[in-house]
Amino acid sequence: MLKGWLDRVFCQGVAYSFGSQGVIGHLKGKRALVFTTSNTPRDAELELFGDPLENLWKNCIFGFCGVDDFRRRNFESMVLSTPEQRARWLAEVRDIVRQHFGSAAD
C-alpha cells in the first residue's frame, strides 16, 4: 500500500523528471520527516542490515526528488514498549515536527 502511495505522489513529472544530464529533482528546498517503527533493537539492526530504511527514504526517495533537508526517527522496540513509552514517543514526534516545520505544524 505504501509503495503504491509513493508511486502516485512522488511521480515523474511532479517530483522529478529526466533531462539530458540525468535526474532533475523538483523538490529542492523542501523538507521531509519520516517516522518509522520496528521491533529490532537499533544496535542489532545496524549490525545485521546496516540502515536500509535510512538509505531508502533519504537517498532513493527524497534525495532522488531533490529534497536535502531530511530527518528520520525510528522508534523501537514496539513489541516491548509500554503505553507510557509510546505516549513519550508521540510527544517526541510533536516536538520534532515543530522543530522541523515551525509552530504552524500544531
Side-chain angles (χ1 to χ4, degrees):
M1 198 168 11
L2 179 59
K3 170 76 167 77
W5 179 84
L6 288 168
D7 289 345
R8 288 187 300 279
V9 173
F10 294 93
C11 61
Q12 183 178 347
V14 175
Y16 65 92
S17 60
F18 296 102
S20 60
Q21 302 299 316
V23 177
I24 302 163
H26 296 297
L27 302 181
K28 290 181 184 356
K30 302 295 183 186
R31 296 176 175 176
L33 283 174
V34 172
F35 297 101
T36 55
T37 60
S38 68
N39 287 322
T40 305
R42 182 80 176 143
D43 293 341
E45 182 174 336
L46 289 173
E47 182 179 326
L48 293 170
F49 308 113
D51 197 341
L53 287 178
E54 181 80 9
N55 183 54
L56 173 73
W57 286 105
K58 183 176 183 178
N59 300 314
C60 301
I61 297 172
F62 291 115
F64 189 81
C65 296
V67 175
D68 59 4
D69 188 350
F70 170 82
R71 181 169 177 192
R72 174 175 160 253
R73 170 66 165 95
N74 188 61
F75 298 97
E76 81 278 330
S77 167
M78 293 305 293
V79 71
L80 299 176
S81 66
T82 64
E84 295 79 19
Q85 178 66 51
R86 291 188 297 274
R88 286 192 299 274
W89 288 340
L90 287 173
E92 184 180 342
V93 166
R94 282 188 292 275
D95 290 342
I96 291 170
V97 169
R98 284 186 189 113
Q99 290 169 8
H100 207 70
F101 293 109
S103 61
D106 289 329

